[in-house]
Amino acid sequence: MKKSLTILSSLICLSFVATAADEEESRFRPGEFDFSPFATYIDKTGGKWGAGASLDYFVTDKIGVGASTYWADFGGTFFDNLAGEAYFRLPLLKIIAPYAVGSVGYEFETKEWFETLGLGVDFRPFKNISAFSDIQYRFANETRDGVFLRLGIRLSL
């Protein structure tokens, strides 16, 4: 009986040590693929709400590239635009990462190029799931400039 209790208590202690070691690692890793569905608000001609998604790859724990699209004109084209993005994030406290984001893209409906610059924060309470929000200023080449807001989740693959 004593031997069983010793083995059981040793296994419990090892599981706590393994969990503590896992918690010591940052949840923002190099070589990480992220799929991010999001809700968006675009400040254009009265403002529009929409939905979108992005796919990103982080070369290091701080530098990433990706592509995104959103759909705001629910009666028009299915994808309103396509943009290439670049990220610089700064992982803090193992679960929070403020980041800067910039993009270059093309809007199909208005047939124009645009650029964005913005800031955001990624909160990752779980190893592969996080909540994020960013706000970007969108420079439109033909129409009105405006604010672009995203709020969503990131699924790290």
Side-chain angles (χ1 to χ4, degrees), residues 55-98:
L55 187 61
D56 310 310
Y57 175 73
F58 280 85
V59 181
T60 70
D61 63 334
K62 295 178 177 64
I63 297 172
V65 294
S68 71
T69 187
Y70 65 82
W71 186 36
D73 186 7
F74 297 114
T77 58
F78 184 66
F79 294 111
D80 289 341
N81 64 68
L82 184 61
E85 300 178 323
Y87 291 91
F88 178 75
R89 68 181 177 192
L90 189 59
L92 303 173
L93 305 173
K94 299 175 191 85
I95 63 170
I96 297 175

Side-chain angles (χ1 to χ4, degrees), residues 116-128:
T116 68
L117 286 175
L119 297 172
V121 66
D122 201 342
F123 174 67
R124 191 168 291 178
F126 305 106
K127 189 172 182 175
N128 295 321

Side-chain angles (χ1 to χ4, degrees), residues 96-118:
I96 297 175
Y99 60 88
V101 60
S103 68
V104 174
Y106 186 76
E107 185 149 347
F108 302 116
E109 195 168 8
T110 58
K111 298 181 177 137
E112 70 176 325
W113 291 91
F114 63 88
E115 300 81 30
T116 68
L117 286 175

Side-chain angles (χ1 to χ4, degrees), residues 1-154:
M1 180 70 173
K2 281 186 176 182
K3 202 176 225 180
S4 297
L5 285 175
T6 304
I7 291 171
L8 181 61
S9 62
S10 297
L11 288 174
I12 291 172
C13 288
L14 284 174
S15 71
F16 281 121
V17 170
T19 303
D22 186 41
E23 292 298 319
E24 290 300 315
E25 295 178 19
S26 174
R27 295 183 179 171
F28 302 96
R29 304 170 309 277
E32 167 184 306
F33 278 99
D34 294 334
F35 172 70
S36 307
F38 57 84
T40 185
Y41 178 78
I42 305 99
D43 178 28
K44 285 176 60 173
T45 59
K48 292 183 179 181
W49 287 94
S54 69
L55 187 61
D56 310 310
Y57 175 73
F58 280 85
V59 181
T60 70
D61 63 334
K62 295 178 177 64
I63 297 172
V65 294
S68 71
T69 187
Y70 65 82
W71 186 36
D73 186 7
F74 297 114
T77 58
F78 184 66
F79 294 111
D80 289 341
N81 64 68
L82 184 61
E85 300 178 323
Y87 291 91
F88 178 75
R89 68 181 177 192
L90 189 59
L92 303 173
L93 305 173
K94 299 175 191 85
I95 63 170
I96 297 175
Y99 60 88
V101 60
S103 68
V104 174
Y106 186 76
E107 185 149 347
F108 302 116
E109 195 168 8
T110 58
K111 298 181 177 137
E112 70 176 325
W113 291 91
F114 63 88
E115 300 81 30
T116 68
L117 286 175
L119 297 172
V121 66
D122 201 342
F123 174 67
R124 191 168 291 178
F126 305 106
K127 189 172 182 175
N128 295 321
I129 301 172
S130 63
F132 78 95
S133 179
D134 58 43
I135 188 163
Q136 302 174 41
Y137 191 78
R138 183 176 169 143
F139 303 93
N141 295 336
E142 301 293 327
T143 60
R144 183 175 161 262
D145 294 349
V147 176
F148 176 59
L149 172 71
R150 297 189 300 183
L151 179 64
I153 59 171
R154 279 206 172 94

